[in-house]
C-alpha cells in the first residue's frame, strides 16, 4: 500500500480506517506489515505533536459523549425509581408532606458539603411552603458514617415529623467526625430510649433502608454527596439555593426540569 504524503490526510485516513476496523470482523480487518505499521505510527505521532489541539478536541468529545450517555442512563433510572425516591417508607420526610414538588437529598453525616448545603435546604423549606423534602442516608465516607446513619434511621422509629428533621440537623451540624457514639449522644439530648435505639439500629428496618438507599445511589450513578434530585434532574454537590429554586420552579411550571 503506497504511503500518503500528507500527514493530515494520512491521520484522517488512519482514523477512518480504525473506525472502519471496529465495525468489521477480525477476518476482514486490514493487515499492515511492520514497515507500514511503523510508517503509520510515525506520521500520526508527528501530526499529533504538531497539532495537539486534535487530542484536546478528541478528549473533550469523549467526555461529552460519556456525560450524555450517563445522563440518558440516569434519566431512565430516575423514571424507574421515581416512586421509591419520593414515597419510600424508609426515608425521612420534612416540609410539606403533600407538597407539589419533591426535593430528594442523598447525604452523609460526615460530608462537609452536606453541612454546607443544610442551610440551603432549610432556606428552601422556609421560603417554599409547598415543597416536600425527602432525606436519604447515603453513608459513603466510611464506617463512622454507617454507624451514624444506623442510629439516625433507628431514631426515626421514635421521632416523628419535625422532631426527626431537628435530629437530622443537630447531627449534621456536629463538629468533627460523626459516628455511632455521637449519634447516641444526640439521641439522649432528644430524650430517646437509647437501649431501644441500639436494638433498632441493628434491626431489619434499618438494614432495609440502607440497602435500598445504597441500591438507588448505585442505580443513579451517584458519585458522592450531597446529591439532590428534583423531578427528572440530578444536581450533584452543594450547588446553592438559586439553581435548586430554578429547577423547582421549572418542575412546577412544566412537569420537568429545564423548561
Amino acid at each position: 500500500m503506497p504511503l500518503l504524503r500528507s500527514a493530515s490526510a494520512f491521520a484522517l485516513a488512519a482514523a477512518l480506517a480504525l473506525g472502519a476496523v471496529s465495525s468489521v470482523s477480525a477476518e476482514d480487518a486490514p493487515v499492515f506489515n511492520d514497515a507500514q505499521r511503523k510508517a503509520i505510527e510515525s506520521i500520526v505521532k508527528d501530526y499529533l505533536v504538531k497539532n495537539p489541539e486534535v487530542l484536546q478536541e478528541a478528549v473533550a468529545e469523549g467526555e461529552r459523549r460519556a456525560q450524555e450517555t450517563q445522563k440518558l442512563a440516569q434519566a431512565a433510572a430516575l423514571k424507574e425509581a421515581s416512586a421509591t425516591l419520593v414515597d419510600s417508607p424508609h426515608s425521612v420526610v420534612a416540609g410539606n408532606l403533600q407538597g407539589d414538588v419533591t426535593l430528594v437529598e442523598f447525604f452523609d453525616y460526615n460530608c462537609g458539603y452536606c453541612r454546607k448545603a443544610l442551610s440551603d435546604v432549610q432556606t428552601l423549606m422556609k421560603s417554599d411552603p409547598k415543597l416536600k423534602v425527602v432525606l436519604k442516608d447515603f453513608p459513603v465516607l466510611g464506617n463512622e458514617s454507617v454507624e451514624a446513619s444506623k442510629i439516625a434511621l433507628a431514631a426515626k422509629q421514635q421521632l416523628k415529623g419535625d422532631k426527626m428533621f431537628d435530629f437530622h440537623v443537630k447531627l449534621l451540624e456536629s463538629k468533627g467526625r460523626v459516628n455511632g457514639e455521637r449519634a447516641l449522644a444526640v439521641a439522649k439530648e432528644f430524650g430517646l430510649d437509647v437501649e431501644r435505639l441500639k436494638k433498632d439500629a441493628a434491626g431489619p428496618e434499618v438494614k432495609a433502608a440502607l440497602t435500598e438507599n445504597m441500591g438507588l445511589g448505585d442505580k443513579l450513578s451517584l458519585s458522592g454527596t450531597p446529591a439532590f434530585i428534583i423531578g427528572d434532574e440530578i444536581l450533584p454537590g452543594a450547588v446553592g439555593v438559586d439553581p435548586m429554586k430554578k429547577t423547582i420552579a421549572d418542575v412546577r411550571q412544566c412537569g420537568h426540569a429545564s423548561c
Side-chain angles (χ1 to χ4, degrees), residues 154-161 163-167 190 192:
K156 178 176 174 287
Q157 299 180 39
Q158 297 186 49
L159 294 172
K160 303 301 178 183
K163 284 293 184 181
M164 186 59 218
F165 184 72
D166 292 342
F167 180 94
F190 277 74
L192 300 188

Side-chain angles (χ1 to χ4, degrees), residues 46-102:
D46 180 65
Y47 175 75
L48 293 177
V49 168
K50 292 179 180 178
N51 301 274
E53 68 277 5
V54 173
L55 283 177
Q56 295 171 353
E57 291 171 4
V59 170
E61 177 62 16
E63 291 177 348
R64 187 195 68 78
R65 292 187 184 186
Q67 290 172 357
E68 185 64 25
T69 298
Q70 182 184 39
K71 192 169 184 178
L72 290 172
Q74 285 181 327
L78 276 174
K79 185 175 182 180
E80 182 181 345
S82 60
T84 306
L85 283 169
V86 175
D87 296 321
S88 171
H90 299 306
S91 301
V92 173
V93 182
N96 186 336
L97 303 189
Q98 305 301 322
D100 61 343
V101 174
T102 301

